[in-house]
Amino acid sequence: MLMATLYTLHIFAVLVWVGGMFFAHMVLRPTAASALEAPERLQLLSGVFTRFFIWVKISIVLLFLSGFWLIMLHGNFGKAGWHVHLMLLLAIVMTVIFGWIYAKPFKALKSAVAIQQWPVGGVAMAQIRQLVAINLVLGLITVVVGVSGRYLMM
Ligand code: HEM
């Protein structure tokens, strides 16, 4: 029962973080870019990221908690397969990139929107877009590693 709950929480967190990035990057951003002028677009995206990033933080906590708990239930870290080590490494890189987005371009976007400096906000948004694209690719790779790793154990 505990194991099933932890796997479920782990996957909920993956869905929210990776699925949220997919939607933001592949659907929302291009639509906003074609339908809205800079002021409306940047206000919309700043609001979207403010809400989404709360869920990303919750997802990161859930991923690490459930992940380490699962490792303990399976034995210990030494017994974990290579796919778990790789998953942890990728998750750490993704978390650092998220922390950077949050602390730098996202803060810059919010303050640019607050003082209506649209060109500055546009530069910050471009950085967020690039970093989210990197994290989306890493997230999808991590899903492949997590799902298929145990079947590819050497
Ligand atoms: C963005 C980050 C992460 C993603 C996308 C991810 C994804 C996944 C996926 C898709 C599974 C397969 C679940 C299943 O087939 O039932 C999984 C399992 C697992 N994850 Fe993660 N995970 C992430 C972070 C972490 C972290 C940080 C840890 C460790 C602290 C971790 C530890 C584990 C363990 C131990 C399993 C079970 C492996 C097995 O049953 O062979 N994961 N993860």
Side-chain angles (χ1 to χ4, degrees), residues 7 10 14 63-64 67-68 71 83 87-88 91 142 146-147 150:
Y7 269 114
H10 203 73
V14 172
L63 274 173
F64 280 86
F68 279 121
I71 290 172
H83 66 299
M87 183 161 24
L88 178 57
T142 314
V147 172
R150 84 183 73 151

Side-chain angles (χ1 to χ4, degrees), residues 1 4 7 9 14 25 39 53 56 58 69 74-75 77 94-95 98-99 106 110 132 134 139 142-144:
M1 185 62 192
Y7 269 114
L9 288 177
V14 172
H25 190 75
F53 286 169
V56 173
I58 295 170
W69 208 330
H74 283 296
F77 202 68
M94 287 176 65
T95 303
F98 170 72
F106 174 58
K110 275 180 60 157
V132 168
I134 294 172
T142 314
V143 169
V144 173

